[in-house]
Amino acid sequence: MTTTSTPARTAAVVDHDRPALGSLGLFTVLLGAALPLIDFFIVNVALPTIDHDLAAGPALLELVVAGYGLSYAVLLVLGGRLGDLFGRRRLFLAGMAAFGVTSLACGLAPDAWTLVGARVAQGAAAALMLPQVLATIHSSTSGARHAKALSLYGATAGLAMVAGQILGGVLVAADVAGSGWRSIFLVNVPVALVGLALAARSVPETRSDRPAPVDVPGTLLLALTLITLLAPLTEGRAAGWPLWTWVSLAVFPFAAGAFWWVELRADRRGGTPLVPPSLLDLVSLRRGLAVVLPLSGGFGGFMFVMAVALQQGLAMGAVASGLALVPMAVAFFAASLAGPRLVRRWGTRIVVAGALFQALGIALLAWTVWRGWEGLSVGSLLPGMAIAGFGQGLQLPVLFRVVLSEVPAERAGVGSGVMVTTQQSALALGVATLGSLFLSLGSSPADMGSALTTTLLVQLGVVVLTLLLSLRLPRSIG
């Protein structure tokens, strides 16, 4: 029989003086969770069209992707802290409104630099909105409903990442009213308006009972740490590795060390650090994040590389490259639906099983590409895509539950901020590393088959790492 630890029970306690999150409210916050992740990936299939229309060039195209990811990752923990302080519903509404406005700015951008600036602002808006989703779920649901809501969040996150590229391909090809690539951003505007109307009616206001002030030194040092790592890795290859990229990478370990020292010192003095090191005392959070990091990194890199390989290497259209991901999305959704029932019986061993399925799927994709790159089709990719997607669907939703299972409700904003920052930073890091590896090996369409095979084998190694780390997860989830 599965037992539940005291900390795990604490995590699910809800303040009954506050209204609970109903079904419509849950749908609304999950919509808010999907939008930022969709927009991280939706541009992948639109990059060739953006380059053609705005004469952007490789370096600016990298910034269109990286600018969003950087501002998003840097500000996520701060967004969670602000939700604890000022109210999560209020910050969710502000973030949703800002996301709609900045999406409009992206869709109307007259040149590449304006698009980059609008994407940075869009990432900042997403960072206000997304941490409130998990924090609201964590503080306004309990028991079986809490477990179901977290599973749905994990399913939404995974599906949004795949659906982003599928939707992007459809919208670019549809060329609605001659809008071309602009429609991938403009479509967010009516969705944000609907989200605002629903949130005003259905999302309860929650906040920390002991809200902490903003940790300014910690915020600045976290920003410096992430920027000095992610900026040179994402821009370095396209820019030709200029001096600033090496200087930035050299600064990174010192920035990370300073951030950790400042946070540890504040925690020991009873202060309010942005990322309390004491959170890592929670075994489930520490070990869960250790799996989320390589899983998300591999997934982010995989999505970017597949979009480039299919469109530039095989000259597939945006729709065809998006359709190639449909089996992955369907299998992910099926595994996500089965996850809660499987977890009740098998616990976190489901994550291990998911890693095995994902490894099999990636290996099958690598073999398929190696065996017949020239004749590669959407149909030939289907088995590998479906098996890999099924494995990811068994992993991601369960991992989100593991990470937050022992986090007390009053620290929900900080805990969710730390988790989504880890996930988002890993996604950006995966695009930077696996993307750079693939593009350096596949400098011409003729080389992209072998480059994709090599990159998939590297990702297979990352999946094996997630498998080994999954063996250290707590067996049960509170």
Side-chain angles (χ1 to χ4, degrees), residues 4 7 71 115 126 223 237 244 281 309 347 360:
T4 306
S71 63
L115 178 58
R237 186 201 60 82
W244 73 264
D281 292 339
L360 177 60

Side-chain angles (χ1 to χ4, degrees), residues 379-422:
S380 61
L381 292 171
L382 190 152
M385 287 285 191
I387 295 171
F390 187 80
Q392 290 161 350
L394 291 178
Q395 291 174 289
L396 199 61
V398 179
L399 282 171
F400 287 159
R401 287 180 58 186
V402 170
V403 170
L404 294 177
S405 61
E406 295 180 349
V407 177
E410 66 272 12
R411 302 180 90 178
V414 178
S416 61
V418 169
M419 189 182 77
V420 293
T421 297
T422 301

Side-chain angles (χ1 to χ4, degrees), residues 77-287:
V77 178
L78 179 61
R81 174 62 58 84
L82 291 175
D84 287 349
L85 186 61
F86 295 111
R88 291 153 191 154
R89 177 177 176 271
R90 182 180 299 175
L91 266 291
F92 181 83
L93 288 167
M96 179 73 78
F99 194 82
V101 171
T102 53
S103 295
L104 180 63
C106 289
L108 299 179
D111 55 62
W113 278 111
T114 303
L115 178 58
V116 169
R119 283 284 284 172
V120 171
Q122 190 188 33
L128 280 182
M129 179 169 57
L130 186 61
Q132 318 317 325
V133 175
L134 274 172
T136 298
I137 289 172
H138 203 52
S139 58
S140 59
T141 60
S142 62
R145 185 164 181 80
H146 180 74
K148 181 181 179 182
L150 283 178
S151 294
L152 286 173
Y153 174 87
T156 300
L159 281 173
M161 290 186 276
V162 180
Q165 289 188 198
I166 298 172
L167 179 62
V170 171
L171 288 173
V172 170
D175 193 20
V176 181
S179 58
W181 60 267
R182 297 179 187 276
S183 61
I184 68 173
F185 300 117
L186 296 176
V187 72
N188 292 331
V189 178
V191 175
L193 290 173
V194 171
L196 285 169
L198 292 176
R201 291 182 52 197
S202 62
V203 176
E205 181 63 281
T206 64
R207 69 182 73 204
S208 175
D209 294 330
R210 295 187 295 274
V214 174
D215 173 16
V216 176
T219 301
L220 294 176
L221 284 170
L222 177 61
L224 181 64
T225 300
L226 292 175
I227 289 171
T228 52
L229 174 64
L230 296 177
L233 288 179
T234 51
E235 274 296 292
R237 186 201 60 82
W241 296 104
L243 179 61
W244 73 264
T245 59
W246 299 108
V247 172
S248 181
L249 288 171
V251 169
F252 163 69
F254 296 99
F259 169 71
W260 186 252
W261 180 78
V262 165
E263 299 298 275
L264 192 61
R265 188 177 179 213
D267 212 15
R268 287 175 175 172
R269 290 183 173 185
T272 55
L274 183 71
V275 180
S278 57
L279 271 182
L280 296 179
D281 292 339
L282 303 175
V283 174
S284 60
L285 182 139
R286 184 174 67 247
R287 294 184 180 179

Side-chain angles (χ1 to χ4, degrees), residues 281-346:
D281 292 339
L282 303 175
V283 174
S284 60
L285 182 139
R286 184 174 67 247
R287 294 184 180 179
L289 288 180
V291 185
V292 168
L293 189 61
L295 175 62
S296 298
F299 189 72
F302 172 84
M303 298 294 286
F304 175 79
V305 166
M306 289 303 297
V308 176
L310 296 182
Q311 288 193 89
Q312 296 185 11
L314 293 177
M316 284 188 184
V319 173
S321 64
L323 286 176
L325 298 172
V326 169
M328 176 174 280
V330 172
F332 187 102
F333 185 64
S336 299
L337 291 179
R341 185 174 68 255
L342 294 173
V343 167
R344 285 195 294 272
R345 181 171 182 181
W346 302 104

Side-chain angles (χ1 to χ4, degrees), residues 432-460:
T433 52
L434 289 177
S436 293
L437 172 65
F438 170 75
L439 292 171
S440 63
L441 295 174
S443 54
S444 68
D447 298 327
M448 285 192 178
S450 59
L452 180 57
T453 303
T454 302
T455 307
L456 287 171
L457 290 175
V458 171
Q459 191 195 348
L460 180 60

